[in-house]
Amino acid sequence: QERSYVMVKPDGVQRGLVGKIISRFERKGFYLKGLKMFNCPEDIAKEHYKDLSSKPFFPDLVEYICSGPVICMIWEGKGVVKSARKLIGATNPLESEPGTIRGDFAVEVGRNVIHGSDSDENGEREIGIWFSSGEGT
Ligand code: ATP
Ligand code: MG
């Protein structure tokens, strides 16, 4: 079955949005296969976003992801990678449609509440970065 790595970022945790976010994925019909709260060390954040390492916002992005605990999740189901990106909405919350998570809960691109894998390949790569063997099912 197809899997996506989804993460509630520190702002989403601090603002109390974890339950609402999990509900949206459950309501859609996906299956929660891994879940933990995690204080992210910088090396993990850098590895996760390594394709963006040359961007000017990269240092701020790493600092943001490491600024408080995140909620790491594995979601499984038919078409979950693409569908999760639709549930999440566009990167810039001012361009995310209402009804999406970012569209409903965020305004700042640098505080956009949630991450979702952008391909099947990256989904498996990211699950490997954030989860150890024996965590999740
Ligand atoms: P994510 O990978 O977190 O799900 P995304 O796939 O929608 O987001 P990416 O292009 O992968 O978007 O960017 C990763 C993250 O980097 C964004 O979610 C956002 O927090 C941050 N980011 C992207 N573009 C900018 C920008 N122009 N200024 C500040 N932060 C940015
Ligand atoms: Mg991305």
Side-chain angles (χ1 to χ4, degrees), residues 93-110:
L94 294 180
E95 269 138 43
S96 317
E97 295 296 327
T100 66
I101 293 166
R102 288 171 178 161
D104 288 349
F105 298 122
V107 288
E108 296 280 351
V109 69

Side-chain angles (χ1 to χ4, degrees), residues 9 48-49 52 57 61 64 85 89-91 102 109-112 114-116 118:
K9 296 176 179 178
H48 175 80
Y49 283 121
L52 301 175
F57 58 81
L61 175 59
Y64 162 44
R85 299 275 294 183
T91 305
R102 288 171 178 161
V109 69
R111 289 282 182 279
N112 62 0
I114 183 168
H115 161 80
D118 62 9

Side-chain angles (χ1 to χ4, degrees), residues 27-40:
R27 178 174 82 176
K28 177 70 177 169
F30 295 127
Y31 301 98
L32 186 57
K33 294 297 203 170
L35 174 70
K36 68 177 180 186
M37 184 176 254
F38 187 60
N39 284 294
C40 176

Side-chain angles (χ1 to χ4, degrees), residues 20-94:
K20 287 186 183 72
I21 288 169
I22 290 176
S23 288
R24 288 180 180 220
F25 284 84
E26 289 181 330
R27 178 174 82 176
K28 177 70 177 169
F30 295 127
Y31 301 98
L32 186 57
K33 294 297 203 170
L35 174 70
K36 68 177 180 186
M37 184 176 254
F38 187 60
N39 284 294
C40 176
E42 277 201 8
D43 58 323
I44 301 245
K46 285 178 180 162
E47 178 64 18
H48 175 80
Y49 283 121
K50 69 175 182 193
D51 291 351
L52 301 175
S53 59
S54 63
K55 301 282 185 188
F57 58 81
F58 186 72
D60 287 344
L61 175 59
V62 171
E63 192 184 339
Y64 162 44
I65 296 301
C66 299
S67 66
V70 295
I71 299 291
C72 309
M73 294 177 280
I74 302 167
W75 285 94
E76 186 177 276
K78 188 175 178 183
V80 67
V81 167
K82 199 171 169 201
S83 181
R85 299 275 294 183
K86 285 191 177 169
L87 292 173
I88 289 168
T91 305
N92 182 347
L94 294 180

